[in-house]
Short mmCIF file of all heavy atoms in Angstrom, two decimals:
data_model
loop_
_atom_site.label_atom_id
_atom_site.label_comp_id
_atom_site.label_asym_id
_atom_site.label_seq_id
_atom_site.Cartn_x
_atom_site.Cartn_y
_atom_site.Cartn_z
N LYS T 1 -6.86 5.96 23.94
CA LYS T 1 -8.20 5.53 23.54
C LYS T 1 -8.25 4.02 23.31
O LYS T 1 -9.23 3.37 23.66
CB LYS T 1 -8.67 6.30 22.32
CG LYS T 1 -8.92 7.76 22.65
CD LYS T 1 -9.49 8.51 21.49
CE LYS T 1 -9.76 9.95 21.92
NZ LYS T 1 -10.69 10.62 21.06
N GLN T 2 -7.21 3.48 22.75
CA GLN T 2 -7.16 2.03 22.55
C GLN T 2 -7.11 1.32 23.90
O GLN T 2 -7.75 0.28 24.09
CB GLN T 2 -5.95 1.64 21.69
CG GLN T 2 -6.06 2.05 20.25
CD GLN T 2 -5.64 3.49 19.96
OE1 GLN T 2 -5.45 4.30 20.85
NE2 GLN T 2 -5.48 3.80 18.69
N ALA T 3 -6.38 1.91 24.84
CA ALA T 3 -6.29 1.33 26.18
C ALA T 3 -7.67 1.33 26.85
O ALA T 3 -8.01 0.38 27.56
CB ALA T 3 -5.28 2.10 27.02
N GLU T 4 -8.47 2.37 26.62
CA GLU T 4 -9.83 2.41 27.16
C GLU T 4 -10.65 1.23 26.64
O GLU T 4 -11.37 0.58 27.41
CB GLU T 4 -10.54 3.71 26.76
CG GLU T 4 -10.04 4.93 27.44
CD GLU T 4 -10.69 6.19 26.92
OE1 GLU T 4 -11.19 6.23 25.77
OE2 GLU T 4 -10.70 7.17 27.67
N TRP T 5 -10.55 0.97 25.35
CA TRP T 5 -11.30 -0.12 24.74
C TRP T 5 -10.90 -1.47 25.36
O TRP T 5 -11.75 -2.26 25.75
CB TRP T 5 -11.09 -0.13 23.24
CG TRP T 5 -11.64 -1.34 22.56
CD1 TRP T 5 -10.93 -2.35 21.98
CD2 TRP T 5 -13.02 -1.69 22.40
NE1 TRP T 5 -11.76 -3.30 21.47
CE2 TRP T 5 -13.06 -2.92 21.71
CE3 TRP T 5 -14.22 -1.10 22.77
CZ2 TRP T 5 -14.25 -3.56 21.38
CZ3 TRP T 5 -15.41 -1.74 22.44
CH2 TRP T 5 -15.42 -2.94 21.76
N TYR T 6 -9.61 -1.70 25.44
CA TYR T 6 -9.15 -2.98 25.98
C TYR T 6 -9.44 -3.10 27.47
O TYR T 6 -9.68 -4.20 27.97
CB TYR T 6 -7.67 -3.21 25.66
CG TYR T 6 -7.51 -3.52 24.20
CD1 TYR T 6 -6.97 -2.59 23.33
CD2 TYR T 6 -7.95 -4.72 23.66
CE1 TYR T 6 -6.85 -2.85 21.97
CE2 TYR T 6 -7.85 -5.00 22.31
CZ TYR T 6 -7.30 -4.06 21.46
OH TYR T 6 -7.21 -4.32 20.13
N LEU T 7 -9.48 -1.98 28.17
CA LEU T 7 -9.87 -2.02 29.58
C LEU T 7 -11.35 -2.40 29.70
O LEU T 7 -11.71 -3.19 30.56
CB LEU T 7 -9.59 -0.67 30.26
CG LEU T 7 -9.95 -0.59 31.74
CD1 LEU T 7 -9.21 -1.66 32.55
CD2 LEU T 7 -9.61 0.80 32.27
N ALA T 8 -12.18 -1.87 28.83
CA ALA T 8 -13.60 -2.23 28.82
C ALA T 8 -13.75 -3.73 28.59
O ALA T 8 -14.55 -4.40 29.24
CB ALA T 8 -14.36 -1.44 27.77
N LEU T 9 -12.98 -4.28 27.67
CA LEU T 9 -13.02 -5.71 27.39
C LEU T 9 -12.53 -6.52 28.59
O LEU T 9 -13.09 -7.58 28.91
CB LEU T 9 -12.19 -6.06 26.16
CG LEU T 9 -12.69 -5.48 24.83
CD1 LEU T 9 -11.76 -5.91 23.71
CD2 LEU T 9 -14.12 -5.87 24.54
N ALA T 10 -11.52 -6.02 29.28
CA ALA T 10 -11.00 -6.70 30.47
C ALA T 10 -12.06 -6.71 31.57
O ALA T 10 -12.26 -7.72 32.24
CB ALA T 10 -9.73 -6.02 30.96
N TYR T 11 -12.75 -5.58 31.75
CA TYR T 11 -13.82 -5.52 32.74
C TYR T 11 -14.94 -6.50 32.37
O TYR T 11 -15.46 -7.20 33.23
CB TYR T 11 -14.41 -4.12 32.82
CG TYR T 11 -13.56 -3.08 33.51
CD1 TYR T 11 -13.66 -1.74 33.16
CD2 TYR T 11 -12.65 -3.42 34.51
CE1 TYR T 11 -12.91 -0.77 33.80
CE2 TYR T 11 -11.89 -2.45 35.15
CZ TYR T 11 -12.02 -1.12 34.78
OH TYR T 11 -11.27 -0.16 35.41
N LEU T 12 -15.29 -6.54 31.10
CA LEU T 12 -16.33 -7.45 30.64
C LEU T 12 -15.94 -8.90 30.91
O LEU T 12 -16.74 -9.69 31.42
CB LEU T 12 -16.58 -7.23 29.15
CG LEU T 12 -17.68 -8.07 28.51
CD1 LEU T 12 -19.03 -7.79 29.15
CD2 LEU T 12 -17.74 -7.80 27.01
N LYS T 13 -14.71 -9.23 30.59
CA LYS T 13 -14.21 -10.59 30.80
C LYS T 13 -14.24 -10.97 32.28
O LYS T 13 -14.49 -12.12 32.63
CB LYS T 13 -12.79 -10.69 30.25
CG LYS T 13 -12.22 -12.08 30.25
CD LYS T 13 -10.86 -12.10 29.57
CE LYS T 13 -10.30 -13.50 29.53
NZ LYS T 13 -9.01 -13.54 28.84
N ALA T 14 -14.02 -9.99 33.15
CA ALA T 14 -14.00 -10.23 34.59
C ALA T 14 -15.40 -10.18 35.20
O ALA T 14 -15.56 -10.40 36.39
CB ALA T 14 -13.12 -9.20 35.28
N GLY T 15 -16.41 -9.88 34.38
CA GLY T 15 -17.78 -9.82 34.88
C GLY T 15 -18.10 -8.53 35.62
O GLY T 15 -19.09 -8.46 36.34
N GLU T 16 -17.28 -7.52 35.44
CA GLU T 16 -17.49 -6.23 36.10
C GLU T 16 -18.37 -5.37 35.19
O GLU T 16 -17.90 -4.45 34.51
CB GLU T 16 -16.15 -5.57 36.39
CG GLU T 16 -15.31 -6.38 37.36
CD GLU T 16 -13.99 -5.74 37.71
OE1 GLU T 16 -14.01 -4.55 38.10
OE2 GLU T 16 -12.96 -6.41 37.57
N ARG T 17 -19.65 -5.69 35.18
CA ARG T 17 -20.59 -5.10 34.24
C ARG T 17 -20.73 -3.58 34.40
O ARG T 17 -20.81 -2.86 33.41
CB ARG T 17 -21.94 -5.78 34.39
CG ARG T 17 -22.87 -5.54 33.28
CD ARG T 17 -22.35 -6.21 32.03
NE ARG T 17 -23.28 -5.93 30.94
CZ ARG T 17 -22.99 -6.03 29.69
NH1 ARG T 17 -21.81 -6.43 29.31
NH2 ARG T 17 -23.87 -5.77 28.78
N GLU T 18 -20.77 -3.09 35.63
CA GLU T 18 -20.94 -1.66 35.84
C GLU T 18 -19.76 -0.86 35.27
O GLU T 18 -19.95 0.13 34.56
CB GLU T 18 -21.12 -1.34 37.33
CG GLU T 18 -21.46 0.11 37.59
CD GLU T 18 -21.74 0.39 39.06
OE1 GLU T 18 -22.28 -0.50 39.74
OE2 GLU T 18 -21.42 1.49 39.49
N LYS T 19 -18.54 -1.31 35.55
CA LYS T 19 -17.35 -0.64 35.02
C LYS T 19 -17.32 -0.74 33.50
O LYS T 19 -16.95 0.21 32.82
CB LYS T 19 -16.08 -1.26 35.60
CG LYS T 19 -15.86 -0.92 37.06
CD LYS T 19 -14.57 -1.55 37.55
CE LYS T 19 -14.27 -1.19 38.98
NZ LYS T 19 -13.00 -1.78 39.44
N THR T 20 -17.74 -1.90 32.98
CA THR T 20 -17.79 -2.09 31.53
C THR T 20 -18.73 -1.07 30.92
O THR T 20 -18.39 -0.40 29.94
CB THR T 20 -18.27 -3.51 31.18
OG1 THR T 20 -17.41 -4.47 31.78
CG2 THR T 20 -18.28 -3.73 29.68
N ASN T 21 -19.93 -0.96 31.48
CA ASN T 21 -20.94 -0.06 30.92
C ASN T 21 -20.51 1.40 30.95
O ASN T 21 -20.76 2.13 30.00
CB ASN T 21 -22.27 -0.23 31.66
CG ASN T 21 -22.93 -1.55 31.35
OD1 ASN T 21 -22.67 -2.17 30.31
ND2 ASN T 21 -23.79 -2.01 32.24
N VAL T 22 -19.86 1.80 32.03
CA VAL T 22 -19.39 3.19 32.15
C VAL T 22 -18.39 3.49 31.03
O VAL T 22 -18.48 4.52 30.35
CB VAL T 22 -18.77 3.45 33.53
CG1 VAL T 22 -18.01 4.77 33.57
CG2 VAL T 22 -19.83 3.41 34.61
N LEU T 23 -17.46 2.60 30.83
CA LEU T 23 -16.43 2.82 29.81
C LEU T 23 -17.02 2.73 28.40
O LEU T 23 -16.68 3.55 27.54
CB LEU T 23 -15.30 1.80 30.00
CG LEU T 23 -13.90 2.26 29.69
CD1 LEU T 23 -13.57 3.63 30.22
CD2 LEU T 23 -12.90 1.25 30.21
N LEU T 24 -17.90 1.78 28.16
CA LEU T 24 -18.53 1.67 26.84
C LEU T 24 -19.36 2.92 26.53
O LEU T 24 -19.38 3.37 25.38
CB LEU T 24 -19.40 0.42 26.76
CG LEU T 24 -18.68 -0.91 26.70
CD1 LEU T 24 -19.69 -2.05 26.69
CD2 LEU T 24 -17.76 -1.00 25.49
N GLU T 25 -20.02 3.45 27.52
CA GLU T 25 -20.80 4.68 27.33
C GLU T 25 -19.88 5.83 26.93
O GLU T 25 -20.18 6.58 26.01
CB GLU T 25 -21.56 5.01 28.63
CG GLU T 25 -22.48 6.19 28.52
CD GLU T 25 -23.69 5.94 27.63
OE1 GLU T 25 -24.09 4.77 27.48
OE2 GLU T 25 -24.22 6.92 27.08
N LYS T 26 -18.78 5.97 27.63
CA LYS T 26 -17.82 7.04 27.32
C LYS T 26 -17.28 6.89 25.90
O LYS T 26 -17.23 7.85 25.14
CB LYS T 26 -16.66 6.99 28.32
CG LYS T 26 -15.59 8.03 28.06
CD LYS T 26 -14.45 7.93 29.06
CE LYS T 26 -13.48 9.05 28.84
NZ LYS T 26 -12.18 8.64 28.45
N ILE T 27 -16.89 5.68 25.54
CA ILE T 27 -16.32 5.42 24.22
C ILE T 27 -17.36 5.67 23.13
O ILE T 27 -17.06 6.29 22.11
CB ILE T 27 -15.77 3.98 24.14
CG1 ILE T 27 -14.58 3.81 25.08
CG2 ILE T 27 -15.39 3.62 22.72
CD1 ILE T 27 -14.16 2.36 25.31
N SER T 28 -18.57 5.20 23.33
CA SER T 28 -19.60 5.31 22.30
C SER T 28 -20.05 6.75 22.05
O SER T 28 -20.61 7.05 21.01
CB SER T 28 -20.81 4.45 22.65
OG SER T 28 -21.46 4.92 23.79
N LYS T 29 -19.79 7.64 22.99
CA LYS T 29 -20.16 9.05 22.82
C LYS T 29 -19.06 9.88 22.18
O LYS T 29 -19.26 11.05 21.90
CB LYS T 29 -20.54 9.65 24.17
CG LYS T 29 -21.86 9.15 24.69
CD LYS T 29 -22.23 9.82 25.98
CE LYS T 29 -23.61 9.37 26.43
NZ LYS T 29 -24.02 10.03 27.66
N ASP T 30 -17.91 9.28 21.96
CA ASP T 30 -16.76 9.98 21.39
C ASP T 30 -16.65 9.63 19.90
O ASP T 30 -16.15 8.56 19.54
CB ASP T 30 -15.48 9.57 22.12
CG ASP T 30 -14.24 10.29 21.62
OD1 ASP T 30 -14.31 11.03 20.62
OD2 ASP T 30 -13.18 10.10 22.26
N ALA T 31 -17.13 10.52 19.05
CA ALA T 31 -17.15 10.26 17.61
C ALA T 31 -15.75 10.06 17.03
O ALA T 31 -15.61 9.47 15.95
CB ALA T 31 -17.86 11.40 16.89
N LYS T 32 -14.74 10.51 17.72
CA LYS T 32 -13.36 10.37 17.23
C LYS T 32 -12.65 9.14 17.81
O LYS T 32 -11.49 8.90 17.51
CB LYS T 32 -12.55 11.63 17.54
CG LYS T 32 -13.04 12.83 16.77
CD LYS T 32 -12.19 14.05 17.07
CE LYS T 32 -12.71 15.25 16.29
NZ LYS T 32 -11.91 16.43 16.51
N HIS T 33 -13.36 8.40 18.63
CA HIS T 33 -12.76 7.22 19.25
C HIS T 33 -12.66 6.10 18.22
O HIS T 33 -13.63 5.82 17.51
CB HIS T 33 -13.58 6.76 20.45
CG HIS T 33 -12.83 5.89 21.39
ND1 HIS T 33 -12.48 4.59 21.09
CD2 HIS T 33 -12.33 6.14 22.63
CE1 HIS T 33 -11.83 4.07 22.10
NE2 HIS T 33 -11.72 5.00 23.05
N PRO T 34 -11.51 5.44 18.10
CA PRO T 34 -11.34 4.40 17.09
C PRO T 34 -12.25 3.18 17.30
O PRO T 34 -12.46 2.41 16.37
CB PRO T 34 -9.86 4.00 17.20
CG PRO T 34 -9.41 4.49 18.52
CD PRO T 34 -10.28 5.66 18.87
#
């Protein structure tokens, strides 16, 4: 789960907005995600 978060940040940093949004959506829907 931590790797998912940092991957989302890496996508954001690279300007890959679509991949960022997909991952952020997944993370934000998981109440147990840190």
Side-chain angles (χ1 to χ4, degrees):
K1 291 185 178 200
Q2 290 84 347
E4 289 175 336
W5 170 250
Y6 288 107
L7 181 57
L9 295 180
Y11 286 152
L12 182 62
K13 187 175 181 178
E16 297 182 52
R17 196 67 181 161
E18 186 175 327
K19 288 181 178 181
T20 303
N21 290 337
V22 168
L23 215 43
L24 289 177
E25 185 69 26
K26 178 181 185 243
I27 294 167
S28 66
K29 288 183 176 182
D30 182 353
K32 293 182 181 182
H33 200 288

